[in-house]
Amino acid sequence: MTAEPILVSLLPDTATLVENDVLVGGVSLRGLAGVYGTPLFVYDEETLRARCREAASSFDDGVAFASKSFLCGAMARVAFEEGLCIDVATGGELDIVLRSGVPARRVIMHGNNKSAEELERAIAVGVHRVVVDNFEEIALLKSLVSESTPLDCLVRVTPGVEAHTHEFVRTGQEDTKFGFSISSGDARIAIEDLREIPGLTLHGVHAHIGSQVFDLIGFVESLSILANFITDDGFDELCVGGGLGVAYVAGETAPSISQWGDALRAAAVEVGLDTNVRLLAEPGRAVVAQAALTLYQVGAVKPVAQRTYMAVDGGMSDNPRPVLYGSGYEAFDVSQPLAERPQNVRLVGKHCESGDVLIDEAWLPASTGARSIIATPVTGAYGYSMASNYNRVPRPAVLFVLDGEVREVLRRETFDDMAALEM
Ligand SMILES: *Cc1c(COP(=O)(O)O)cnc(C)c1O
């Protein structure tokens, strides 16, 4: 068996393959690996901006970028400049977004266990919305919100929809830690409770059915359940959450953000959702995943009886998704992107775990080996944001490339950075 050259459709929008290099944003990946070292995250800013614009034009004002998928100041500003609000789920995410200069009125605060401190700061800075998750949070809001410290909210509900995706990223079903159940009556009680808090304005409902969802049916079902649930409430917002899937490997296909928006708009008309209700969503992965790739250098190559192990200079610390969810990726050799890929290897990292596998069966050109620079595409979501210092491996640098220019938006972590917490 042999694999075809890497599919251009898995690469950032501006990627150009030449005989001995790949250009992204007009910049040579081989050159970047040489200057900035590896592992290295390279984001195509044009892809990021295009996906943000697509989301902004597919939904109504208030549609958000789910920052947990990839957050740094530069990314927050890109999403804001292209017309999106920004979802945060913790005080730490809120802090980075505010430091980036994005105004609080474009920030939406999520979380299934918000602390009093997190809520106090959200209220003090004046976030756009808080998405209320549970009765303890309502009790906290009773003490924090008043006519002089007002707050705009949505209420998170569970529609009882099973998204067809990995169990760990499924969230719309009844048995979940997120939100208020519609069917048990809790969601209705929460709405009544919230409406009694002076200074609190409840704008509508929110649901999030899961992540890496390819099938639009689940979103449409969720929308119709929510629309029916709020028929007489006079709400002006309905948010279907995030979760739109992306293709990671050859053979996968995902709807675009605009196809997702179109399907939901059509469903909204069909179920008779009041036209005054703003239709909102909060994509993360679909905005950032395909915009980036990770560059690694190959080190040890070890043939054993069953297979060949090829080790790179990163691993589960910069991409934990294969370990967490069994996610698939592809790899290609940056110096020969047009070559056939007949060499089958297990691509592993440098961590002290047998489970530190990036790609169970990677296909690479025959001559790829020690010192080759290889890339794994579609690593823009839940890679850097889930990165760790396991084995005291410093986190990689993150670059944005655009029109032939390179912007280092996050520098590589140093041993001094990691030692900084020692008392
Ligand atoms: C994770 C999450 C998102 C984003 O999910 P993606 O799969 O990255 O689009 C949106 N909303 C909520 C509430 C989430 O928890």
Side-chain angles (χ1 to χ4, degrees):
M1 235 185 102
T2 191
E4 306 276 300
I6 190 72
L7 282 177
V8 180
S9 61
L10 294 173
L11 303 183
D13 293 355
T14 67
T16 314
L17 311 186
V18 296
E19 195 60 38
N20 61 353
D21 203 353
V22 176
L23 304 181
V24 176
V27 178
S28 152
L29 292 186
R30 283 177 68 182
L32 290 176
V35 172
Y36 294 93
T38 52
L40 184 65
F41 284 95
V42 181
Y43 280 81
D44 179 28
E45 193 170 331
E46 198 165 309
T47 306
L48 291 174
R49 288 187 181 274
R51 297 295 182 281
C52 287
R53 278 196 296 272
E54 190 180 351
S57 64
S58 301
F59 293 91
D60 291 316
D61 186 46
V63 53
F65 165 60
S67 73
K68 72 175 194 252
S69 60
F70 169 58
L71 179 59
C72 61
M75 182 62 220
R77 286 189 296 270
V78 163
F80 168 66
E81 286 163 13
E82 299 298 346
L84 300 182
C85 282
I86 306 200
D87 268 7
V88 298
T90 64
E93 288 176 351
L94 174 62
D95 189 64
I96 285 286
V97 172
L98 294 177
R99 279 172 200 253
S100 79
V102 169
R105 63 179 163 75
R106 297 300 282 172
V107 176
I108 297 167
M109 182 86 189
H110 276 277
N112 74 299
N113 187 22
K114 303 176 192 77
S115 67
E117 293 73 26
E118 286 171 329
L119 286 171
E120 273 169 35
R121 185 162 190 212
I123 294 164
V125 299
V127 297
H128 177 61
R129 300 282 181 266
V130 164
V131 183
V132 182
D133 179 272
N134 57 74
F135 288 112
E136 280 68 30
E137 189 178 341
I138 294 179
L140 277 172
L141 291 175
K142 272 186 190 143
S143 66
L144 296 173
V145 179
S146 66
E147 304 286 4
S148 57
T149 51
L151 184 67
D152 295 287
C153 292
L154 294 178
V155 61
R156 178 161 180 169
V157 302
T158 45
V161 171
E162 300 260 346
H164 298 271
T165 186
H166 193 287
E167 176 190 358
F168 292 177
V169 292
R170 222 182 274 154
T171 53
Q173 72 280 13
E174 287 290 330
D175 184 358
T176 175
K177 71 170 181 171
F178 297 105
F180 297 95
S181 157
I182 291 181
S183 65
S184 76
D186 280 354
R188 184 49 60 194
I189 295 168
I191 289 170
E192 305 306 327
D193 287 358
L194 286 167
R195 282 180 157 162
E196 278 171 19
I197 301 179
L200 188 148
T201 308
L202 183 59
H203 289 270
V205 288
H206 167 285
H208 172 70
I209 59 170
S211 198
Q212 185 58 356
V213 180
F214 286 124
D215 192 345
L216 296 179
I217 288 293
F219 295 107
V220 165
E221 275 176 30
S222 171
L223 171 87
S224 86
I225 291 165
L226 297 190
N228 284 322
F229 177 62
I230 63 167
T231 304
D232 296 318
D233 285 318
F235 286 147
D236 55 10
E237 287 179 17
L238 188 162
C239 181
V240 297
L244 181 64
V246 301
Y248 282 90
V249 296
E252 286 181 340
T253 50
S256 67
I257 293 172
S258 48
Q259 287 169 332
W260 185 43
D262 289 348
L264 286 166
R265 289 216 178 271
V269 171
E270 195 154 316
V271 299
L273 182 68
D274 192 319
T275 48
N276 296 321
V277 177
R278 282 191 292 283
L279 184 58
L280 303 175
E282 42 192 28
R285 187 192 314 271
V287 173
V288 293
Q290 215 201 332
L293 36 75
T294 309
L295 302 181
Y296 298 103
Q297 183 165 39
V298 177
V301 180
K302 188 171 295 178
V304 300
Q306 294 77 6
R307 71 188 83 253
T308 294
Y309 285 90
M310 186 177 276
V312 295
D313 46 3
M316 62 191 286
S317 56
D318 59 77
N319 188 357
R321 294 190 64 256
V323 178
L324 281 173
Y325 316 120
S327 315
Y329 284 89
E330 300 233 11
F332 63 95
D333 188 323
V334 171
S335 303
Q336 38 181 338
L338 302 171
E340 297 270 308
R341 297 178 294 163
Q343 183 184 190
N344 186 231
V345 300
R346 177 166 289 175
L347 194 72
V348 298
K350 65 182 281 126
H351 296 280
C352 303
E353 301 251 346
S354 288
D356 176 27
V357 175
L358 284 171
I359 306 178
D360 194 42
E361 286 202 54
W363 295 93
L364 287 160
S367 62
T368 300
R371 289 178 300 284
S372 296
I373 301 294
I374 64 168
T376 52
V378 206
T379 55
Y382 304 105
Y384 194 89
S385 69
M386 284 186 162
S388 74
N389 287 129
Y390 183 42
N391 284 135
R392 291 280 150 169
V393 171
R395 273 174 274 234
V398 178
L399 309 180
F400 279 16
V401 290
L402 179 69
D403 295 335
E405 304 281 336
V406 183
R407 229 177 0 131
E408 187 175 17
V409 300
L410 290 166
R411 66 165 169 78
R412 184 176 303 283
E413 211 166 22
T414 64
F415 291 167
D416 283 344
D417 291 330
M418 289 192 286
L421 301 181
E422 302 275 345
M423 300 291 280

